[in-house]
Amino acid sequence: MIFDDPYIRWMVGKYCRSEEINTVIKQTCATLGHAGYEKEITWSWERRMTATLGYAVGERQITFSASLWLALSDDNRKNVIVHEVCHLFVQKLFGHNRVIDGEKVTNHGQHWKDLMTKCKEPANRLIRCELP
């Protein structure tokens, strides 16, 4: 992955290993019964994201906060990755704002919570972290 921003390139090289993120994405896809789908998912860093740790777009794109990532524990980093991958799968499997079996599909609704539970991760909407 090529980063144009020197700060992000430095931060990723020093503190975050792309292969670790890719491994969690791959494991999550397999757990959700879609082994191989990780090849369709792209992710990137955003230096200006300061209010959210991650953001999933559509069925294939995740953006992580470069500014907040370092304040997370390893367990919280894993939870954020799984959290965002589950958002992608909600969109892929159910769509958004549809009603399925009487339940409206929403960002942190029951469909998303069920996928998080299947991945054995807490379905947290918020993670508290200590900023440097």
Side-chain angles (χ1 to χ4, degrees):
M1 189 174 287
I2 298 171
F3 298 98
D4 293 331
D5 186 320
Y7 169 79
I8 293 175
R9 191 170 44 250
W10 171 80
M11 190 214 59
V12 171
K14 184 165 179 70
Y15 296 103
C16 304
R17 302 289 177 243
S18 296
E19 61 270 10
E20 293 171 9
I21 294 172
N22 291 334
T23 297
V24 174
I25 291 172
K26 181 178 182 175
Q27 291 168 343
T28 304
C29 291
T31 299
L32 296 176
H34 291 269
Y37 191 70
E38 70 277 1
K39 296 172 189 154
E40 302 291 322
I41 296 173
T42 60
W43 61 270
S44 60
W45 296 106
E46 174 54 60
R47 184 178 181 181
R48 293 170 296 199
M49 280 174 57
T50 58
T52 186
L53 294 165
Y55 187 76
V57 179
E59 299 177 14
R60 295 185 173 95
Q61 173 63 41
I62 300 171
T63 303
F64 296 111
S65 169
S67 305
L68 301 175
W69 196 256
L70 299 178
L72 295 174
S73 68
D74 290 344
D75 287 342
N76 281 342
R77 286 180 185 151
K78 180 182 178 204
N79 183 268
V80 169
I81 298 165
V82 173
H83 177 120
E84 298 307 330
V85 171
C86 285
H87 278 307
L88 298 180
F89 272 93
V90 166
Q91 184 68 26
K92 175 180 173 48
L93 299 174
F94 308 109
H96 189 67
N97 285 328
R98 294 180 51 212
V99 177
I100 299 174
D101 297 329
E103 181 82 31
K104 185 175 180 181
V105 178
T106 60
N107 285 338
H108 295 103
Q110 195 59 50
H111 297 88
W112 174 80
K113 289 175 185 174
D114 291 346
L115 294 178
M116 289 291 288
T117 300
K118 187 171 184 176
C119 293
K120 295 180 176 45
E121 286 289 325
N124 298 329
R125 291 184 59 206
L126 298 173
I127 293 177
R128 303 230 185 270
C129 58
E130 295 294 323
L131 296 176

